[in-house]
Amino acid sequence: GTIVGMTRGTRREHIVRATLESIAYQTKDVAEAMVSDADIDLSTLRVDGGAVKNNFLCQLQSNIIGTEIVRPVVDETTALGAAYAAGLAVGYWDTVDELRDNWQVDRRFPVDEDADIEVNYDRWKDAVERSEDWAQDAGGD
């Protein structure tokens, strides 16, 4: 990982924001690849995991990706998925459709049309490009 643009005035809050922005920008890159490869229209993106508890991140992702972000009530869906698989295996649920009925929206984050993200996204892409090949293997390649 690389943090660029730090000055003596950089504080903890700046690093936290940079981390959240990095998550959102990387998600944008993945979402664009999915849209391109699958030739789909991404109108809504369902998110999960511990980071989505952060409302700032969810709104930022919505603005950066340009699509509504939908956060479920249960945001740790990896563990939930394992529980669902076990429940299906032992016959607790008969069909996957029963599981879909359990999924509930906690909050929706619509795109803020006034958000100006292109300049910062371009700067982030430039920083990523400049940092390529900086990391070296421990073997000293």
Side-chain angles (χ1 to χ4, degrees):
T2 303
I3 300 176
V4 296
M6 291 178 62
T7 67
R8 287 182 288 179
T10 301
R11 297 187 340 212
R12 179 182 332 189
E13 294 84 6
H14 297 113
I15 294 171
V16 169
R17 181 179 176 121
T19 301
L20 295 174
E21 287 177 349
S22 176
I23 293 169
Y25 292 142
Q26 289 177 69
T27 302
K28 177 181 176 69
D29 291 343
V30 171
E32 286 179 348
M34 288 177 4
V35 167
S36 174
D37 291 351
D39 194 29
I40 59 171
D41 179 34
L42 186 64
S43 59
T44 300
L45 181 63
R46 291 182 176 185
V47 297
D48 68 354
V52 303
K53 291 178 173 114
N54 186 300
N55 291 337
F56 173 80
L57 172 61
C58 289
Q59 186 61 60
L60 184 65
Q61 273 191 320
S62 174
N63 297 343
I64 287 173
I65 297 171
T67 191
E68 179 184 51
I69 297 294
V70 180
R71 179 176 62 203
V73 171
V74 178
D75 55 30
E76 294 295 346
T77 56
T78 302
L80 184 61
Y84 282 165
L88 283 167
V90 299
Y92 186 81
W93 291 288
D94 293 323
T95 68
V96 174
D97 290 331
E98 290 178 80
L99 303 178
R100 286 189 186 106
D101 292 339
N102 290 337
W103 197 90
Q104 297 176 352
V105 173
D106 172 50
R107 183 166 171 189
R108 295 178 180 274
F109 297 85
V111 177
D112 179 356
E113 300 297 336
D114 296 329
D116 183 21
I117 61 101
E118 287 306 315
V119 171
N120 288 339
Y121 180 60
D122 288 342
R123 290 184 70 207
W124 181 78
K125 287 191 301 187
D126 185 44
V128 169
E129 184 178 316
R130 289 173 183 238
S131 70
E132 290 175 350
D133 298 324
W134 282 356
Q136 298 287 325
D137 286 340
D141 288 1

